[in-house]
């Protein structure tokens, strides 16, 4: 999608044909920086520091990271070490393990001399498939929005965090149906949760929507329940970092609170995901999905543009007070109206998922 | 209560015997500034700009504001004008209208020459009664904490916004039972919601608790549901800006989301209030209580201490994106475990409230 009328993907090969380019999302929306990643350590650091984030994008970037690693050393030992390093960069996103596993399955039995080229090719396929999947998610989510538009005209949609094109290789997951609907001329208003502590809603989703011309307003994470009580939200669409076999949804901390409010007010709550986000090994998301505890500084400090034009971090919690920072929560399937995947929509249940993905039965 | 071992109230008369002192809460926790208010306009500005905030404290400060107004001009016309000016400074807090109404009832039939002295005396009574009421709220809330402590030892309590002594003349409402329990030696851990967009939890509640030595941690507003899902919260206590006759609770935006999560996880959700906060004229809080829409800048900008030691405001929403800022929400009585008042605890219902306040029947 576009920034300042230039089209980008979330990850691409540099013109040199081997190094990897990303958009540094820690600098957005204030600055569009395009770091060049030249080795596996660069990629691991980009993921850990959240220069790239969003489950689908992390998977594609990690795949390119393994290609860079194999370019330097394609031995079995190095490949296993670097794959483990990349897989350990973030604990919650299932796409990361999926992408590394897919790469290893292709590469394992190849001679070392053939591995780097094969890894670049496979990483490219992972990226292209992500784009196609997200376009399909947009197509399958579109009818939900069209149905509301037919009933009442303007459609008011709330989203949490950033599940837009910046979280994927292109299109996004939760935002893909929104972009499709906007392009069809449906009148939209998107409520963008700020998404503390890292403010990906305010910094990234708002930035994306403004770039594409979609009307929206940023609200504090606290506001969504009130908006739903007063009939100001027709639909909630969020992304996810991991969906369990029975339809529990791990996503950015605070998603569960919005799902509760949607359920209490009869507002449909949909989750958009590529099927790579489904963890078929896990049933009970609340007890089984490990939740990443991130640094207290993300809560105690906020980064933004100061009036002197410098991006500064300011402390918002007094120095004598500690902070805790669980980064994700799990929304139980009973609160989810349904899932939007690249194969279509389904109920958030084992039966619903197996209906779309019978090969997992 | 104390800041740096000096005891303060939320509002008091200066040593000159007529001007009014407050703690500028927009400067906390970085600086303890004590502005001197010399006329009605000063007081109105202090309330509007939230130098003083918290429903009980606003009422007491407005009462002193009317005393300052009458010192300048005690005519009927001026008294009505200034009372209306003060009553219009904030739309949601019922205590404001209550305090102004109580003042006018005392003053209306007095000769103009007697009004200023009577107004100071009545404002002093309002302040002293608030302190006594909050101490009683602490006593009535304490058994809830003692019962949990007897069962499991350490008690983990979540609170939203600031309903501590800084929101009242002294003691606080939601924090009064916490201070009482801490002083009794009960082991506590308080989860402090940051409370975007104005961050009163991070800036004021954390500051208060640290000053009093109560163990606590600040969390993003998004975190509470996850903490409750994982059994990390034994009790929620919040304050309120207005309680309806049937027990609906208007409080800082986001309170409703925490009440939903508490209900979903079987965590008791209590609301602490002086009875002046009850609006006996209103039943349905969601449809009948006007919700203040505050400036978008509270969402688009965050204020904090920069690393150069200067308190700075940084922009967190890109300039091309608007923001919306509803300041309160209403938690329906069905989600409230009970109310803690100066007369005791009761169910959040008309029957419960009338049991404690039969004179309203």
């Amino acid at each position: 999608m576009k920034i300042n009328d230039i089209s980008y993907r979330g990850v691409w090969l540099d013109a040199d044909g081997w190094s990897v380019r990303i958009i540094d999302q820690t600098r957005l929306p204030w600055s569009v920086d395009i770091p060049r990643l030249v080795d596996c350590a660069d990629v691991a650091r980009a993921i850990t520091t959240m220069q790239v984030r969003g489950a689908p994008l992390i998977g594609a970037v990690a795949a390119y990271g393994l290609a860079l690693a194999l370019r330097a050393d394609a031995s079995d030992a190095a490949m296993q070490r670097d794959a483990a390093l990349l897989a350990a960069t973030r604990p919650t996103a299932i796409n990361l393990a999926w992408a590394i596993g897919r790469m290893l399955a292709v590469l394992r039995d190849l001679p070392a001399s053939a591995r780097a080229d094969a890894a670049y090719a496979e990483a490219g396929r992972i990226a292209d498939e992500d784009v196609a999947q997200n376009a399909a998610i947009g197509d399958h989510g579109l009818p939900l929005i069209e149905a509301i538009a037919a009933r009442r005209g303007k459609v008011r949609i709330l989203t949490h965090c950033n599940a837009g094109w910046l979280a994927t290789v292109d299109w996004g997951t939760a935002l893909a149906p929104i972009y499709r609907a906007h392009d069809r001329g449906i009148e939209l208003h998107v409520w963008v949760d700020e998404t503390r502590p890292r403010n990906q809603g305010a910094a990234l989703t708002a930035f994306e929507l403004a770039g594409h011309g979609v009307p929206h307003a940023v609200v504090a994470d606290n506001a969504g329940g009130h908006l739903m009580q007063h009939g100001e939200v027709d639909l909630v669409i969020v992304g996810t970092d991991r969906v369990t076999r029975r339809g529990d949804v791990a996503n950015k901390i605070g998603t569960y609170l919005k799902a509760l409010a949607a359920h209490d007010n009869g507002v449909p709550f949909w989750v958009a995901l590529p099927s790579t986000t489904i963890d078929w090994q896990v049933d009970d998301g609340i007890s089984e999905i490990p939740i990443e505890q991130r640094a207290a500084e993300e809560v105690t400090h906020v980064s933004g543009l100061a009036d002197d034009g410098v991006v500064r971090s300011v402390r918002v919690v007094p120095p004598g007070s500690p902070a805790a920072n669980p980064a994700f929560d799990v929304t139980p399937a009973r609160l989810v109206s349904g899932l939007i995947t690249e194969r279509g929509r389904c109920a958030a249940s084992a039966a619903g998922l197996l209906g779309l993905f019978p090969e997992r039965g």
Side-chain angles (χ1 to χ4, degrees), chain A residues 24-64:
Chain A
D24 181 352
Q25 302 195 21
T26 65
R27 303 295 300 272
L28 291 178
W30 316 116
S31 170
V32 182
D33 290 2
I34 312 289
R36 179 167 172 257
L37 311 179
V38 301
D39 59 27
C40 179
D42 275 359
V43 169
R45 195 179 313 111
I47 297 173
T48 305
T49 62
M50 298 178 73
Q51 287 187 321
V52 286
R53 22 70 55 198
L57 180 57
I58 287 172
V61 173
Y64 277 112

Side-chain angles (χ1 to χ4, degrees), chain A residues 186-211:
Chain A
I186 293 174
E187 193 184 358
L188 300 175
H189 178 81
V190 182
W191 297 109
V192 179
D193 273 358
E194 174 183 43
T195 319
R196 284 280 289 151
R198 292 184 65 92
N199 289 14
Q200 294 97 331
L204 303 179
T205 299
F207 175 79
E208 271 195 30
L209 293 173

